[in-house]
Amino acid sequence: MFDDAEIHKLICRQLDPHDLAQCARVNKKWHKAALPFLWLDLSCLEGFSDTQRRAFCELILEDYHRYHKLHEGRGTTNQQTRTQPSPPSILEKYGPWVQKLPSPGFFRLLFQEYGKEQCTQGHSASITSILARCHSWARKLRSPGSFRSIFRTSQQTANGISAAEATALGAIRHLYKHCQVQYLALDKADLESDELLETLTEFAVPHARSLVVKSRSVFPGLESWRLKHLLNHCSNALEDLTLNVNIYYEDQRSEEQDKEDPSPWMLLKRLRLERCGDKSGSRAFWSWLWKKCDQVELLRVEEIGEISDNLVEGIITHMPNLDKIHLEGLALTNEEIVALLPSSRRGWKQMRLEFLRAFETSTKEVLMKHCSTVERLELIRCSCIMDNQKIQILASNPKLCDFTDLRPGGNWTDWTWCFRACTFIDQDPSTGSLKEWSSETSIKTLKIKITDIPRPDIHPLGKSVVEETYPGQGREIQGRVYDRLARLTNLETLWLGGESSKWILRGCLEMSMDSGLHRLSGLKSLKELNVSFMRTRIGVQEVQWMTEQWPKLRIIYGLREAGRSKRPVEWLQQYHPEIRL
């Protein structure tokens, strides 16, 4: 389609399946160029019709039987037939492009629907029309156990294994042999089958760039030797590892594996521990795992239970490059957080705290101590840190570049996720001047919600609007908030509203010229502004001023919301179409 291969790839990846199917029908050259991209993502099988699902099952089986018969028959053909090259099978031709399939649960459902049927009858649905129903492109191939479910029937072989089971195992092996899996998600059932485990270690795992292993049941959990055997076959291509497993005992095979010196994955940068435990008492598997995580830079922790002490020791001993941490979920205890935060050798550069329980005093002290090196801090749905502590972080950290404190879906009655205006202003009570913050010149991204501003222009609704104690107090407070924001001279992204909210933020800045917007004229680097779900008073005058004073502005979120005047949007579309709304 295009002479430049990179341009061709970029354009085809942006086209939806319907457009790709149309391109494939133009001529032979375009057909050859566009068709492989229809195979990248087959995860939308879930949206297929019954006929299309059955046709997909037939496609895999027919390709497997044809390939199997062809390669078995080569030994019995005559010399003339043997020298003639056979045309490639479907998976030989397009298998390397297939990098995403549905979850195992979908294939189990598919087995319930079609498992007892003979998937050998012909169907008229073409492959192009089937694949043209896909919705997104990615690089992921899910659990092989799902394919095992597709082809199972009640027929039994001499050794007690169903004929369909044997066929399924062969088809799975055939599929993984021809598909270069880059994103692989497995569960406990996939690892408990010796045949599947062998297929995975031989064909799937060595190509994986991202690997997810989940054992949904806490008991009996996984045998550690199976997980070690799987991970030992991961190549240096592995970049992302997610574990949700419970080790319940160490056997002799696992002990023999421990004697081998594990070499680290050289490209592994991200390690995620969702719900991990160890009932064996030895913690040998985890000690073995940490030795392979020498290059990890980002650690995400949700629940670590019995392995918390072992993890801290592993970080200190085997993860010298770790400088980013994400702590998520109510399952994390204060003791675990206090133990994890001091473990980084380099100091934390990035920290994300999401949906954590209330912090004890000791936890807050440790957190504040280790925020001094943070360049990016995200507080998502996290009420464990109060306004004055957030201000302390902003005031004391000269390296802070990105500060995010948002709670999607919050409401105006939950003050824990908003900055009170008077706290955010942070002025010296004796002089009335603003205190100096160490982050004033370093911070480039600020995503917060400022509230508790008296707004007499808004009709009171319960406690959603703070009333003025004297006339003009609201505008006075807004002016001081603008003064504080104006000191962040290198700011590039400013969010004062959120992406989504149940309620409109009422006690907020007006963002009007009369309220003091002109005080932000020094933010010459500002590129992105978000005023979504705020009761602002932005008109044509305000957007004209923004385009004049903020020459780099390219995005304004929130102007298109219902109830707002359309005139600012129409003016921007006419005179500054380069600004995205």
Side-chain angles (χ1 to χ4, degrees):
M1 293 168 64
F2 302 95
D3 294 333
D4 191 301
E6 288 301 318
I7 294 178
H8 167 74
K9 184 183 296 185
L10 287 172
I11 292 178
C12 285
R13 285 182 179 275
Q14 298 300 317
L15 298 177
D16 61 35
H18 178 268
D19 291 337
L20 281 169
Q22 294 298 320
C23 290
R25 295 188 179 101
V26 173
N27 54 42
K28 289 183 179 181
K29 182 179 178 180
W30 280 48
H31 181 275
K32 183 179 180 180
L35 193 59
F37 290 91
L38 283 168
W39 286 81
L40 281 178
D41 183 357
L42 301 182
S43 62
C44 56
L45 282 168
E46 296 174 271
F48 283 5
S49 66
D50 290 349
T51 301
Q52 291 169 328
R53 292 180 186 179
R54 188 179 289 109
F56 179 78
C57 292
E58 292 175 3
L59 173 67
I60 300 297
L61 273 175
E62 290 174 3
D63 190 76
Y64 164 64
H65 287 303
R66 177 181 176 277
Y67 180 87
H68 186 66
K69 182 178 180 180
L70 178 65
H71 286 265
E72 270 194 348
R74 283 182 176 175
T76 60
T77 55
N78 57 38
Q79 184 66 28
Q80 181 180 0
T81 306
R82 227 178 293 167
T83 58
Q84 295 177 353
S86 58
S89 67
I90 291 293
L91 284 180
E92 282 182 312
K93 190 174 183 180
Y94 297 111
W97 291 83
V98 179
Q99 295 169 357
K100 188 172 183 179
L101 286 171
S103 65
F106 166 75
F107 286 105
R108 291 191 180 96
L109 180 61
L110 201 62
F111 161 64
Q112 294 176 2
E113 294 175 350
Y114 307 113
K116 295 182 180 180
E117 297 181 10
Q118 294 292 334
C119 295
T120 54
Q121 300 176 3
H123 291 275
S124 59
S126 67
I127 300 304
T128 299
S129 64
I130 294 175
L131 297 176
R133 295 292 305 277
C134 301
H135 298 289
S136 61
W137 305 113
R139 297 181 174 182
K140 193 180 231 180
L141 188 59
R142 294 296 182 117
S143 167
S146 55
F147 297 102
R148 191 181 184 184
S149 299
I150 298 177
F151 309 113
R152 187 181 296 152
T153 67
S154 59
Q155 296 178 349
Q156 298 292 317
T157 60
N159 59 3
I161 301 177
S162 68
E165 179 76 3
T167 301
L169 291 173
I172 291 170
R173 191 172 183 84
H174 175 66
L175 182 64
Y176 277 91
K177 182 178 180 180
H178 292 93
C179 297
Q180 296 183 2
V181 181
Q182 295 190 19
Y183 294 79
L184 185 64
L186 307 171
D187 59 23
K188 179 184 173 184
D190 300 322
L191 302 186
E192 287 181 333
S193 167
D194 292 341
E195 295 85 357
L196 283 180
L197 183 60
E198 191 61 32
T199 296
L200 289 169
T201 55
E202 187 174 354
F203 298 118
V205 173
H207 300 291
R209 291 172 53 195
S210 176
L211 176 62
V212 179
V213 182
K214 294 189 177 184
S215 176
R216 293 183 175 86
S217 59
V218 177
F219 184 81
L222 265 177
E223 298 173 279
S224 61
W225 76 267
R226 292 184 179 274
L227 191 52
K228 285 182 183 178
H229 183 61
L230 181 83
L231 295 177
N232 264 330
H233 284 79
C234 291
S235 69
N236 280 330
L238 187 65
E239 300 174 4
D240 194 327
L241 176 62
T242 299
L243 295 178
N244 184 340
V245 297
N246 183 55
I247 304 299
Y248 75 102
Y249 76 87
E250 299 278 346
D251 58 11
Q252 184 177 357
R253 283 174 289 189
S254 180
E255 293 174 358
E256 292 175 355
Q257 291 171 331
D258 289 337
K259 297 177 182 178
E260 303 175 3
D261 186 22
S263 57
W265 293 301
M266 300 310 295
L267 294 182
L268 183 66
K269 303 298 182 183
R270 297 174 293 277
L271 175 63
R272 179 170 183 172
L273 306 175
E274 291 185 346
R275 290 174 179 83
C276 297
D278 193 316
K279 306 299 182 183
S280 68
S282 70
R283 314 289 189 268
F285 167 77
W286 303 102
S287 298
W288 171 88
L289 177 65
W290 310 142
K291 295 177 183 179
K292 298 181 72 66
C293 298
D294 185 75
Q295 301 300 317
V296 168
E297 297 177 359
L298 169 62
L299 174 66
R300 300 181 64 175
V301 179
E302 294 184 15
E303 182 178 340
I304 47 178
E306 305 90 351
I307 68 170
S308 58
D309 293 339
N310 188 273
L311 172 59
V312 171
E313 182 181 349
I315 292 174
I316 296 173
T317 308
H318 301 293
M319 303 183 196
N321 299 317
L322 184 64
D323 58 7
K324 304 176 185 69
I325 189 168
H326 294 183
L327 303 177
E328 306 174 19
L330 293 173
L332 284 173
T333 65
N334 279 269
E335 292 75 14
E336 291 169 349
I337 295 172
V338 169
L340 284 170
L341 288 179
S343 59
S344 174
R345 295 191 204 175
R346 304 174 62 179
W348 301 113
K349 290 185 178 180
Q350 179 178 313
M351 190 179 296
R352 179 186 175 101
L353 308 178
E354 182 171 0
F355 204 55
L356 297 180
R357 65 175 69 196
F359 280 175
E360 296 175 355
T361 303
S362 59
T363 310
K364 292 179 182 179
E365 292 174 353
V366 173
L367 176 65
M368 298 303 296
K369 178 181 179 181
H370 292 280
C371 278
S372 60
T373 59
V374 171
E375 297 177 4
R376 181 177 182 180
L377 178 61
E378 296 179 79
L379 307 174
I380 308 298
R381 296 176 293 176
C382 189
S383 59
C384 53
I385 305 177
M386 298 296 103
D387 281 3
N388 58 340
Q389 293 163 335
K390 299 171 188 175
I391 293 297
Q392 184 179 343
I393 294 171
L394 288 165
S396 61
N397 188 346
K399 298 181 180 180
L400 189 63
C401 296
D402 187 329
F403 184 87
T404 299
D405 181 25
L406 293 175
R407 180 178 177 177
N411 59 65
W412 47 261
T413 62
D414 185 1
W415 300 113
T416 59
W417 59 279
C418 290
F419 269 102
R420 285 183 169 87
C422 292
T423 305
F424 179 76
I425 292 170
D426 192 28
Q427 65 183 13
D428 189 328
S430 58
T431 63
S433 60
L434 301 182
K435 295 180 181 179
E436 185 176 351
W437 288 358
S438 299
S439 63
E440 286 179 352
T441 57
S442 63
I443 195 162
K444 295 183 178 181
T445 298
L446 183 66
K447 297 182 180 181
I448 61 175
K449 291 185 179 181
I450 302 173
T451 187
D452 218 5
I453 299 175
R455 291 284 301 274
D457 58 303
I458 299 177
H459 180 71
L461 178 62
K463 297 181 180 180
S464 62
V465 178
V466 179
E467 296 182 0
E468 292 184 328
T469 56
Y470 57 87
Q473 183 191 24
R475 289 285 175 85
E476 180 182 330
I477 293 176
Q478 289 188 69
R480 300 299 281 167
V481 172
Y482 288 129
D483 288 340
R484 171 56 72 189
L485 292 172
R487 295 172 74 108
L488 310 179
T489 52
N490 291 318
L491 203 60
E492 297 179 0
T493 300
L494 176 61
W495 282 26
L496 299 173
E499 289 184 320
S500 62
S501 180
K502 185 178 180 180
W503 304 96
I504 300 296
L505 194 62
R506 297 175 181 274
C508 61
L509 293 171
E510 295 178 27
M511 299 299 290
S512 65
M513 301 300 294
D514 293 338
S515 68
L517 179 64
H518 61 277
R519 302 188 189 198
L520 300 182
S521 59
L523 304 183
K524 300 300 183 182
S525 299
L526 193 65
K527 300 176 182 178
E528 181 178 322
L529 176 67
N530 190 333
V531 292
S532 301
F533 301 98
M534 294 172 59
R535 282 294 297 270
T536 61
R537 301 182 64 185
I538 298 176
V540 174
Q541 181 185 6
E542 282 71 26
V543 295
Q544 288 177 337
W545 179 89
M546 290 177 186
T547 56
E548 292 172 2
Q549 299 299 323
W550 301 336
K552 296 183 179 181
L553 187 64
R554 291 297 177 266
I555 301 175
I556 304 178
Y557 293 122
L559 293 185
R560 291 181 176 272
E561 293 172 0
R564 294 186 184 272
S565 171
K566 296 182 180 179
R567 293 182 60 198
V569 174
E570 293 171 351
W571 187 89
L572 285 171
Q573 290 176 335
Q574 181 177 357
Y575 295 101
H576 290 276
E578 75 279 2
I579 295 180
R580 191 171 70 192
L581 303 175

